[in-house]
Amino acid sequence: MEELRKLALKRTANAVRHGIIDGVYNAGCGHPGGSLSIADILTYLYFEEMNVDPKNPKDPKRDRFVLSKGHTAPALYSVLAHRGFFPVEELKTLRKTDSRLQGHPDMKGTPGVDMTTGSLGLGISAACGMALSAKISGDDYRVYAILGDGESEEGQVWEAAMFAAHYKLDNLCALIDWNGLQIDGPIAEVMDPTPHDEKFRAFGWHVITIDAHDLDAIEAAYAEAKTVKGKPTMIIAKSIKGKGVSYMENKCEWHGQAPKEEQYLVAVEDLNKIDAELK
Amino acid sequence: MAEKKATREAYGAALAALGEKHDFVVLDADLAAATKTGVFKKKFPERFFDCGIAEGNMMSVAAGIATTGKIPFVSTFAIFASGRAYEQVRNSIGYPHLNVKIGATHAGITVGEDGATHQANEDLALMRTIPGMTVICPADATEAYAATEAALLHNGPVYLRYGRFAVPDLSAELAGYHFEIGKGVVYKEGKDVTIVATGFMVHLAMEAAAMLAEEGIDAEVINIHTIKPLDAELVERSARKTGAVVTAEEHSVIGGLGGAVCEALSESYPCPVKRVGVEDSYGRSGKVPELLELYGLTAKNIAAKAKEAIAKK
């Protein structure tokens, strides 16, 4: 990736991180850790990869995105806002009673949200349905999904994995945000779902493993996925939970709590430092 | 005596016929031969998708398909459609109000020999609590066919309940029979007691009305094929006329038709209501006529409950 484009994407990703922190802080609750870990990937998807139009969010020909790990809605909302689907200022209304930004994504309420998710394991199945639908009618849109690594403990993920391979859904590219942590602790201690690469290969998927914060690797993986015929692709993206906020990085406890005022100020300072480095 | 046919047979026939004019798809979970979606599969193999024995995934896949504008019919046994996949139906289909039609077959104890694990006596209750869900329980083959078409033309999620066992096709003999979602059908007018029935219990309600007539009791019989939205207006009007109500369903007496009618009448016109159905228990293996007798799903029991309701006026 050329340096200028990469720099611009990094700035956007950091703006997305600001939006995540602002949203969760103002809500007083929410899921910052797993939102920060997918900020680079979501930024790449919405600013480089996917064919979407904020002015025509329901365009039948658009690429689809399903946030199967729906609890990281703050990241999705932030990237949608920065892409122009709704005002960035609105991120501060996250989880408020009169807001259209629900705690988990609601396709009926929020412009740009393609599927209602939140209950783990359901989103990847819905993404399969969208991809199958494109195959049925010969449409060439692609379907993208992001799952959590802990989410793969849900049996339905594997039902969907079977389904996608069986119907040769090569227009489906899913990604596991592999940060290694879930609410109760490291995934290896809670209920080890690894090895994801071998398991998805055995289920008939093309598997690519990357660093979730390396934009060159992200770009290469999504490009490779498009060349794969006859099988779906799973990108296993090794990420840092809480990426970008010093005290949140690799900490389970930041899975699902909002920063207090002092912590919020530190988070903003951390992200401002990154902004300064990207000047 | 009306011709006997299972409502699932009419479902399969309706899908195959409607598939000519309408561009919907059908999903099943390894039960196409039993649910009768196999009839559609044979005719339109390119629009049929077997999801294997994975009902939760199937419901969410159907939701994903519906987001792209296509209409999926999704079939499996009622116990799996409403029970195993309840949360997928609620969160993937119900909450986003997606245009998915759930064709659930083998409902209730008329599953027979397979026994309790496969006899859904709770599906109407479960599906009825999902906001925006339309819940239909056709009485017979003619109504099942009409309900399938109405569900296809209705914009929004629909749960359709079909049976395994052959039942008399009463609607076929009804002059000018017309099906409309949410509109109950008066099968017989009467003034002493109202029997509100759903599914094949409608024909038993008619038999009960004949028994009551012999004792000089004039029963009104209403077929409530749509459990939700309930035709509360019709039920209230009839209750005001007769002053006593019996409900009859092949379902738990908790939360299904009986529950819905009691909820409605307790607000609009409180009066004695007796419920005929499965009494808060599981089913068991057995021949269908023996099970119906054992669980009190009989014309005789409906007639007895009618007299109890009248006595409480």
Side-chain angles (χ1 to χ4, degrees), chain A residues 119 125 133 137 156 159 167, chain B residues 50 57 60 68 70 87-88:
Chain A
S119 175
S125 299
S133 180
S137 42
Q156 189 170 339
E159 294 182 2
Y167 285 107
Chain B
D50 208 315
N57 178 61
S60 302
T68 67
K70 294 186 180 70
E87 202 250 351
Q88 286 84 354

Side-chain angles (χ1 to χ4, degrees), chain A residues 122-142:
Chain A
L122 277 55
I124 182 62
S125 299
C128 287
M130 294 172 181
L132 178 68
S133 180
K135 291 279 181 193
I136 294 167
S137 42
D139 292 309
D140 60 4
Y141 62 80
R142 290 179 64 76

Side-chain angles (χ1 to χ4, degrees), chain B residues 12-308:
Chain B
L15 289 180
L18 294 166
E20 300 270 5
K21 275 199 298 183
H22 302 274
D23 192 23
F24 57 86
V25 298
V26 176
L27 278 60
D28 204 304
D30 194 40
L31 289 169
T35 63
K36 299 299 168 191
T37 61
V39 183
F40 177 90
K41 176 187 178 180
K42 204 172 164 190
K43 204 165 161 188
F44 304 104
E46 72 290 348
R47 282 153 60 192
F48 176 87
F49 301 93
D50 208 315
C51 297
I53 310 164
E55 296 81 7
N57 178 61
M58 177 169 70
M59 291 300 174
S60 302
V61 164
I65 292 172
T67 67
T68 67
K70 294 186 180 70
I71 301 173
F73 272 84
V74 192
S75 277
T76 180
F77 291 172
I79 190 75
F80 310 128
S82 69
R84 188 188 196 96
Y86 173 80
E87 202 250 351
Q88 286 84 354
V89 173
R90 180 198 186 270
N91 277 330
S92 293
I93 297 170
Y95 175 38
H97 200 69
L98 289 168
N99 203 13
V100 176
K101 317 302 168 187
I102 302 166
T105 69
H106 295 63
I109 62 164
T110 53
V111 164
E113 289 80 350
D114 275 355
T117 55
H118 284 57
Q119 294 164 337
N121 295 322
E122 309 84 11
D123 57 323
L124 296 177
L126 286 164
M127 291 296 107
R128 200 165 71 81
T129 58
I130 296 175
M133 180 67 76
T134 295
V135 182
I136 303 175
C137 178
D140 50 42
T142 294
E143 190 161 272
Y145 193 103
T148 306
E149 182 168 20
L152 173 66
L153 301 176
H154 173 82
N155 185 23
V158 181
Y159 180 84
L160 294 147
R161 184 190 218 231
Y162 305 105
R164 169 180 178 267
F165 191 65
V167 296
D169 195 357
L170 284 196
S171 305
E173 299 180 345
L174 224 59
Y177 173 81
H178 169 71
F179 181 89
E180 190 182 339
I181 291 175
K183 291 281 173 212
V185 187
V186 179
Y187 270 55
K188 176 190 173 300
E189 291 196 11
K191 59 177 179 16
D192 298 328
V193 63
T194 302
I195 307 173
V196 182
T198 193
F200 79 89
M201 294 296 282
V202 172
H203 90 84
L204 296 182
M206 288 298 281
E207 282 177 29
M211 289 175 182
L212 290 166
E214 284 174 15
E215 297 179 49
I217 298 168
D218 186 14
E220 178 146 301
V221 177
I222 297 174
N223 168 15
I224 289 290
H225 49 64
T226 307
I227 307 298
K228 186 183 183 182
L230 180 75
D231 192 345
E233 208 182 295
L234 176 64
V235 172
E236 182 192 339
R237 207 162 56 229
S238 182
R240 281 182 187 277
K241 180 169 70 172
T242 64
V245 175
V246 181
T247 61
E249 63 199 304
E250 185 205 8
H251 182 275
S252 170
V253 292
I254 300 168
L257 175 70
V261 166
C262 288
E263 287 162 18
L265 288 178
S266 66
E267 291 197 0
S268 65
Y269 184 70
C271 64
V273 180
K274 286 284 172 182
R275 295 165 298 154
V276 173
V278 175
E279 298 281 352
D280 195 18
S281 64
Y282 294 98
R284 59 178 297 117
S285 292
K287 295 223 176 300
V288 172
E290 290 167 10
L291 292 177
L292 293 177
E293 197 67 41
L294 187 62
Y295 287 89
L297 304 182
T298 60
K300 207 173 121 192
N301 193 26
I302 296 171
K305 288 280 171 71
K307 283 191 272 184
E308 285 178 32

